[in-house]
Amino acid sequence: MVNTMGVEPVQRGAGLPLAALNHISVVCRCLESSLRFYRDVLGFVPIRRPGSFDFHGAWLFNYGIGVHLLQAEDPASMPPKKTEINPKDNHISFQCESMEAVQRRLKELGIRYVQRRVEEGGIYVDQLFFHDPDGFMVEVCTCDNLPIVPLVPEGHAILGLQQPAAAPACKRPPAAALRQQAPAPLPVPVAVPTPVPAEQCIPAKAGGGSCVGEVEASIPACAMRSCPEHACV
């Protein structure tokens, strides 16, 4: 079940500023018979009723909701009691923990019921329908098996549900950003021979027409050059 206690109601459109469901009211042919049913079968507890009322009735409370029973002024004028159990008729529904225990208790009390099962996306909901002494229908179900999915944006706040998790943002930068962030290509190193200063030229031996200049160690031996003799002065 969804816990809506302490959830601030969210107003939508021109809706009334409501807070919670308080009670249902049932008109009875026989107040005593209905009181026994809602107390002994459904487990409601009688509570104090305002003494200013000038008509017969009873108040009961349990499961976070009240039931107000009203004695009919003219029971004979009430519509005939329904005998067919129609799951699509007006009814009040209660959640239960064990459908087997509910069925067993209804059989012990001799209360006729109709059983139904609903399937939604592989999830099953079991339902039992039966009448109170005046033909008002009661349902017992396992409806909390189905997830509550609001159809309006503010529905999560109204029902006290967690907002659905947003899809995680992609952490990968777009292609354009990757191109902007890519480092520029490094230049390809090119070996350039270092010129040999003239003063480092060593004149060749007499009879030679050239001199040999010293070169950087990084330059291969084949890069040695000759120069005219007058350039070595």
Side-chain angles (χ1 to χ4, degrees), residues 53-227:
F53 289 153
D54 57 358
F55 54 90
H56 294 297
W59 282 14
L60 304 96
F61 186 87
N62 203 351
Y63 319 113
I65 186 176
V67 173
H68 293 181
L69 303 177
L70 307 176
Q71 173 63 55
E73 295 181 359
D74 185 8
S77 65
M78 293 181 63
K81 180 180 176 179
K82 296 179 180 179
T83 57
E84 178 187 1
I85 301 177
N86 181 6
K88 294 184 291 184
D89 202 354
N90 297 327
H91 63 277
I92 182 174
S93 180
F94 297 93
Q95 178 67 32
C96 75
E97 296 181 356
S98 172
M99 293 296 290
E100 292 76 11
V102 172
Q103 287 180 286
R104 183 168 57 251
R105 182 58 177 161
L106 290 175
K107 292 177 180 178
E108 292 173 355
L109 296 171
I111 297 176
R112 186 169 60 94
Y113 63 87
V114 170
Q115 187 173 4
R116 293 287 185 271
R117 169 169 278 196
V118 179
E119 186 272 336
E120 174 66 22
I123 300 175
Y124 293 92
V125 172
D126 291 313
Q127 302 168 296
L128 295 177
F129 299 92
F130 51 95
H131 286 154
D132 76 353
D134 293 289
F136 181 70
M137 192 164 66
V138 177
E139 175 191 9
V140 178
C141 69
T142 57
C143 297
D144 66 341
N145 290 345
L146 286 175
I148 297 177
V149 182
L151 298 179
V152 292
E154 63 272 31
H156 287 83
I158 294 175
L159 299 175
L161 302 175
Q162 292 290 334
Q163 288 285 353
C170 180
K171 297 182 179 180
R172 181 178 181 181
L178 289 175
R179 289 194 296 269
Q180 293 177 359
Q181 296 175 3
L186 296 175
V188 179
V190 178
V192 178
T194 303
V196 179
E199 59 274 11
Q200 292 183 359
C201 292
I202 302 174
K205 293 181 180 180
S210 64
C211 64
V212 179
E214 295 180 352
V215 295
E216 293 288 338
S218 60
I219 306 301
C222 60
M224 297 180 66
R225 52 185 283 271
S226 60
C227 61

